[in-house]
Amino acid sequence: MQRANDIKTPINVGKEITIRGWVHRLRKQKEKTFLLIRDDRGGVIQCVFPTQQVVHLTIESSIEVTGILTADDRAPEGGYEIRGNSLKVINIADADFPIGEYQSAELLLDNRHLALRTRRMIEIAKIRSTILKFARLFFIENDWMEVTPPIIVKGAVEGGSTLFKLRYFNEEAYLSQSAQLYLEALIFSLGPVWSLTPSFRAEKSRTVRHLAEFSHLEAEAPLASLEDVLRVEERLVSYIVHNTVRERSDSLIFLKRDVTSLKDIEVPFDRISYYEAIDTLQSRDFKVVDANGDKRPIRIGDDLNIDSERELTKSALTPLFVTGYPIQIKPFYVKEDVQNKGIGLSADLLAPGGFGEIASGGMREDDILSIKKRMKIEGLDPSSYGWYIDLRRFGSVPHGGFGLGIERLVRWLVDIEDIKDTVLFPRTMSRIIP
Ligand code: 4AD
Ligand code: MG
């Protein structure tokens, strides 16, 4: 079967072409009708028929068209069109296809199953798939083993407030927030491992960068240092960015993404400490909203959030690691820096251009007494983490890893404000259909 983007070359002019696809746009004139046909790779080509031959066609009807390829500067999408001879109808679509040229974001989300046929969503989907391809290739090339940890779990990783509970036969279970604890179990026999799983967070606040279900790429390695972890993280991100920009340049141009700054990304990424970050924010008079809704200057001990990260990265051109957060604002598993008490051996990776956090990683607490203590401080019961604590009983080693949010990466690479547009079927507090 011939496809739109393959046939648009001078050597095909004058040749007979057959193409199958869907009526993407339809402009009926008295004599002639102009169809824009979309094929099954998202490519489009204009096709012209005498109007009386296609009066019955509607938007999204599926058809097979045969005709002669001609070059015509007036034809959209590259200056080629098919002068149609014969037309086979596969299915005539109902006339009320709800997606037109200008639609509210809500209507597009309500009809996401159909909005996925828009050019914008097609190009985003291609970029997303390329990002996943190069993520996998990076790990294959570097000899990390891909593993498939469970999604139904018994324990919280990233705090109880965002857990989705479910009934698991006769007991309570949760949807996984992160595969990290399982990856930690695997490094003792499989070495460096990675996984791509859905992670779930019952995020109750509506933000442009939180989903209830997201694609989580996580990696973990034994006998690693923080330096090792950050190096892998930055090499992975830079590899994905460069290869995606190269392979999907057409899609990025279509989406009007200026890729100059992406092409300039180099390792090592910049690094600042949490204390430097707070200092910078204070020097810019940055305010946070406290629990009572009042604004006050940011201070040491405040976690970074969407607003402070936007401020920190809005004029940055390359990604930035923020290291050395106070241990009490990080989860129980983060290892404390023995040389620097109170500081966690972890780092968040912030994307430039105001996008903020795309990954979190670091060293894991490998000492049995310390981890039990940290669990109690966080209100977790060590007895429900028996298997995880065992990992510190039998051959504990320094180890670390990270988790990267695929949607956050797409959001930055494509330059999309709302994370819902980086995923095919977004899940948020207010949306589970389609
Ligand atoms: O920073 P997070 O919560 O870290 C972890 O889950 C670690 N256990 C990962 C690890 O070390 N193996 O999540 C990691 C990344 C975030 O940086 C963000 O990119 C993404 O996952 N993420 C979300 N993406 C979309 N919607 C949400 N609600 C997200 N929560 C986290
Ligand atoms: Mg994080």
Side-chain angles (χ1 to χ4, degrees):
M1 184 49 57
Q2 289 171 301
R3 300 228 160 73
N5 289 339
D6 303 333
I7 59 179
K8 290 182 203 164
T9 66
I11 50 159
N12 286 328
V13 169
K15 288 195 183 147
E16 189 180 79
I17 298 291
T18 298
I19 196 155
R20 264 192 228 157
W22 292 266
V23 179
H24 194 69
R25 262 190 273 145
L26 189 60
R27 191 156 52 88
K28 281 186 187 154
Q29 293 179 350
K30 213 162 149 230
E31 303 288 319
K32 287 184 195 167
T33 289
F34 298 87
L35 313 174
L36 196 64
I37 299 183
R38 186 186 73 245
D39 67 23
D40 67 349
R41 295 293 191 274
V44 292
I45 186 161
Q46 174 159 286
C47 195
V48 196
F49 273 98
T51 293
Q52 79 274 14
Q53 205 180 333
V54 292
V55 273
H56 54 307
L57 284 188
T58 49
I59 292 286
E60 289 303 317
S61 290
S62 41
I63 55 176
E64 182 180 299
V65 161
T66 302
I68 303 296
L69 188 76
T70 45
D72 187 330
D73 287 343
R74 291 165 303 175
E77 307 285 345
Y80 291 93
E81 68 182 19
I82 298 171
R83 301 269 155 87
N85 293 327
S86 67
L87 173 85
K88 271 192 222 154
V89 170
I90 303 168
N91 173 266
I92 292 288
D94 285 357
D96 57 349
F97 188 68
I99 316 280
E101 245 166 89
Y102 303 99
Q103 237 80 61
S104 75
E106 280 305 298
L107 183 132
L108 288 174
L109 282 165
D110 290 341
N111 290 285
R112 181 50 77 83
H113 55 300
L114 302 175
L116 292 170
R117 303 181 191 189
T118 60
R119 298 287 300 290
R120 175 175 143 82
M121 288 312 298
I122 293 169
E123 299 312 320
I124 293 172
K126 286 185 192 167
I127 294 167
R128 187 182 157 95
S129 137
T130 297
I131 287 173
L132 294 175
K133 170 176 124 180
F134 284 109
R136 180 166 274 116
L137 261 178
F138 175 87
F139 286 114
I140 292 172
E141 282 174 8
N142 289 282
D143 200 21
W144 289 58
M145 188 188 285
E146 181 170 3
V147 294
T148 50
I151 300 304
I152 302 174
V153 299
K154 275 298 272 187
V157 188
E158 299 298 327
S161 67
T162 64
L163 276 177
F164 277 110
K165 286 194 186 75
L166 69 98
R167 178 125 212 98
Y168 186 71
F169 302 105
N170 286 324
E171 57 184 305
E172 188 171 90
Y174 308 110
L175 292 176
S176 168
Q177 296 170 308
S178 161
Q180 181 193 319
L181 309 194
Y182 288 92
L183 298 193
E184 285 186 61
L186 295 171
I187 57 166
F188 295 83
S189 50
L190 304 179
V193 290
W194 74 282
S195 62
L196 176 66
T197 59
S199 277
F200 301 87
R201 310 275 170 102
E203 303 279 359
K204 281 159 204 113
S205 56
R206 252 185 234 216
T207 79
V208 292
R209 65 173 197 177
H210 287 94
L211 291 164
E213 174 177 352
F214 65 98
S215 293
H216 205 171
L217 189 157
E218 292 176 273
E220 196 73 27
L223 301 161
S225 65
L226 182 61
E227 194 55 39
D228 297 331
V229 172
L230 301 194
R231 281 213 201 116
V232 173
E233 219 175 310
E234 64 192 5
R235 279 176 45 229
L236 166 72
V237 169
S238 143
Y239 178 89
I240 295 175
V241 170
H242 289 296
N243 283 297
T244 303
V245 166
R246 184 179 44 75
E247 194 167 292
R248 288 296 174 198
S249 66
D250 290 350
S251 303
L252 290 160
I253 289 168
F254 179 86
L255 296 166
K256 301 194 169 63
R257 170 57 153 133
D258 176 6
V259 295
T260 353
S261 62
L262 296 178
K263 284 186 174 164
D264 288 341
I265 282 170
E266 280 177 8
V267 295
F269 293 166
D270 290 339
R271 294 184 193 184
I272 57 167
S273 75
Y274 165 85
Y275 291 90
E276 287 172 295
I278 297 292
D279 236 27
T280 305
L281 292 166
Q282 284 172 338
S283 73
R284 296 185 196 165
D285 205 18
F286 184 83
K287 303 264 196 318
V288 293
V289 182
D290 70 15
N292 308 321
D294 301 324
K295 279 193 162 185
R296 60 153 176 84
I298 194 164
R299 57 180 181 235
I300 300 287
D302 288 334
D303 203 354
L304 298 182
N305 64 14
I306 187 164
D307 298 318
S308 45
E309 289 177 6
R310 184 181 297 121
E311 177 63 32
L312 280 174
T313 59
K314 66 182 185 198
S315 45
L317 294 173
T318 65
L320 174 72
F321 280 116
V322 180
T323 62
Y325 288 79
I327 195 104
Q328 69 274 11
I329 57 173
K330 285 287 165 193
F332 69 91
Y333 55 73
V334 171
K335 189 173 171 62
E336 188 171 10
D337 186 349
V338 283
Q339 257 109 62
N340 215 342
K341 284 275 174 206
I343 300 300
L345 285 173
S346 76
D348 282 358
L349 179 60
L350 313 188
F355 285 98
E357 180 182 337
I358 57 170
S360 282
M363 299 299 289
R364 319 309 188 183
E365 184 49 75
D366 49 70
D367 176 70
I368 192 158
L369 293 177
S370 312
I371 200 140
K372 282 185 179 169
K373 209 165 93 194
R374 294 282 304 288
M375 284 178 159
K376 283 184 190 143
I377 294 171
E378 271 203 30
L380 299 171
D381 178 5
S383 68
S384 28
Y385 286 82
W387 68 264
Y388 184 65
I389 288 170
D390 269 358
L391 308 177
R392 278 80 187 153
R393 292 175 59 214
F394 301 108
S396 189
V397 285
H399 64 284
F402 61 89
L404 170 81
I406 294 296
E407 289 75 14
R408 297 274 183 97
L409 187 58
V410 176
R411 184 171 169 259
W412 162 47
L413 288 195
V414 184
D415 193 358
I416 296 174
E417 174 66 7
D418 188 347
I419 197 167
K420 290 199 286 300
D421 280 353
T422 67
V423 62
L424 304 178
F425 294 100
R427 294 288 176 258
T428 64
M429 193 171 141
S430 55
R431 190 166 291 283
I432 191 172
I433 300 173

